[in-house]
Amino acid sequence: MSLLKHPAVNILFRSFMSAIYSFVFIFTAGHMEFISILSHGKTLNSDFWNGWSDFLKTGNMKFIGYLIIGLTVVIIVFILLKRTKQYDEYQVSILAKSLLVAGVLSIIIVPFLMVMLLSDPNYSTEIIFLFATIQWVGVLVSYILFAVRS
């Protein structure tokens, strides 16, 4: 918890994780091996999942990677402009809760993904990428709101 008091540690952690997520999203966008593991055709009668699968197949996941990079840059700029030396206990509590929520979501999704893969592997890759997108973009947006308000 004491590490969360330092804005530089928060910047490093979020930058490192954002670099990993954006690299995966940008690198896999349009990669032929990635496209080959996506569901083929209109397997489900769901416009949402078919649209998300088409979004991934056309290589548009790189834009999500660029969005992650952009949000991370905005966070770094806000933190550097505020020039806060250390966060107080209230701010650390908010940061800890946001990271806890992201961690709990990750833990909850693992058994769900295992059951899904065992029962019907169609659209499993799409669901994993959708979850990763929602989770990390949600973490970054919540941190931007935190940085603006603090």
Side-chain angles (χ1 to χ4, degrees):
M1 289 296 258
S2 64
L3 285 177
L4 291 177
K5 288 183 179 186
H6 305 286
V9 172
N10 288 299
I11 288 174
L12 288 174
F13 172 72
R14 281 175 176 72
S15 298
F16 176 72
M17 291 303 298
S18 293
I20 292 172
Y21 275 107
S22 60
F23 173 76
V24 168
F25 291 157
I26 293 169
F27 180 74
T28 59
H31 195 274
M32 75 162 127
E33 289 181 8
F34 175 72
I35 292 172
S36 70
I37 63 173
L38 295 173
S39 297
H40 300 286
K42 306 293 183 197
T43 309
L44 290 178
N45 189 16
S46 170
D47 292 335
F48 175 77
W49 289 115
N50 291 327
W52 179 248
S53 183
D54 290 342
F55 178 81
L56 295 176
K57 284 178 189 172
T58 55
N60 291 326
M61 202 63 190
K62 65 183 169 219
F63 298 118
I64 303 293
Y66 298 143
L67 174 69
I68 288 172
I69 292 169
L71 290 173
T72 305
V73 168
V74 168
I75 288 171
I76 292 170
V77 167
F78 272 118
I79 297 298
L80 293 177
L81 289 178
K82 296 269 182 164
R83 298 228 182 236
T84 305
K85 296 290 182 194
Q86 282 191 344
Y87 294 131
D88 60 21
E89 293 300 319
Y90 176 72
Q91 293 168 323
V92 170
S93 171
I94 292 172
L95 288 173
K97 287 176 186 173
S98 70
L99 290 175
L100 181 68
V101 168
V104 167
L105 283 175
S106 296
I107 291 169
I108 289 173
I109 199 69
V110 170
F112 174 73
L113 290 174
M114 289 173 58
V115 168
M116 184 186 63
L117 283 170
L118 292 173
S119 62
D120 184 15
N122 290 325
Y123 292 91
S124 57
T125 305
E126 289 89 338
I127 291 173
I128 291 169
F129 270 81
L130 180 64
F131 171 74
T133 301
I134 291 171
Q135 183 211 26
W136 195 248
V137 170
V139 166
L140 293 176
V141 168
S142 68
Y143 196 80
I144 287 173
L145 294 175
F146 169 77
V148 168
R149 291 181 62 189
S150 64

